[in-house]
Amino acid sequence: MDKFTTLTGVAAPLHLVNVDTDMIIPKQYLKTIKRTGLGTGLFSELRYKEDGSDNPDFVLNKPAYKGAQILVAGDNFGCGSSREHAPWALLDFGIRCVISTSFADIFYNNCFKNGILPIRVTPEQLAALFDDAARGANAKITVDLESQTITGPDGGSISFDIDPFRKHCLLNGLDDIGLTQVKADKIASYEEKLAEERPWA
């Protein structure tokens, strides 16, 4: 997966609480096990009208937020079912960072496994980020994983916590498979030793 180091861009404000995974990617898009192509279904019930045209009132369809890579959302983001298609859809759409006061545990864990940085902030910090995001393309924010900071367009900075192991994985682009591949030499050495000691195995 792609490394996450520093991300600077427009943050889209999603003023909704309890956004569940069915809202993020509705069930009709779950027929595939591919991680690509799901971006078209992201928030489809909010993004599109009944005739399939774009809903101009939805934040990600507004010109100021086209190409947004950061999402600022309300409490309890990613609740509901455990579908991993939700982070897949966000990533395929181009979202690399989601900021909220709280996340559902399974969704939170799945984000890290797919190269998305979920950041927990306080209600006061979220309110400030919503204010920054409301300014659209005129106000970019920077998320620096190494320093664990979010810097607003006016230079104000917010610090965030992250598990050191998850931070290491994101900085180095290591998913579960990547973590195994890092230990390929040790695995090969063990298998050689095992073949010598237990040739019948």
Side-chain angles (χ1 to χ4, degrees), residues 66-86:
K66 289 286 186 181
Q69 294 179 282
I70 302 166
L71 190 65
V72 181
D75 303 339
N76 197 29
F77 190 86
C79 57
S81 71
S82 60
R83 66 189 67 169
E84 194 170 359
H85 293 70

Side-chain angles (χ1 to χ4, degrees), residues 34-51:
K34 294 181 180 179
R35 300 186 183 195
T36 56
L38 289 170
T40 56
L42 181 72
F43 296 118
S44 65
E45 293 178 358
L46 300 172
R47 280 173 63 200
Y48 307 120
K49 295 181 178 180
E50 289 186 5
D51 63 2

Side-chain angles (χ1 to χ4, degrees), residues 1 19 21 24 76-84 86-88 90 96-121 145 148 160-167 170:
M1 73 183 183
V19 172
T21 53
I24 296 171
N76 197 29
F77 190 86
C79 57
S81 71
S82 60
R83 66 189 67 169
E84 194 170 359
W88 291 355
L90 286 164
R96 292 295 313 275
C97 178
V98 183
I99 305 171
S100 179
T101 53
S102 59
F103 297 90
D105 287 343
I106 294 176
F107 173 83
Y108 184 77
N109 293 330
N110 282 339
C111 280
F112 286 106
K113 292 180 179 181
N114 289 281
I116 297 173
L117 174 60
I119 299 176
R120 294 188 181 110
V121 295
L145 179 56
Q148 296 177 210
F160 62 87
D161 294 326
I162 184 173
D163 175 78
F165 176 71
R166 286 171 167 162
K167 177 179 178 178
L170 280 179

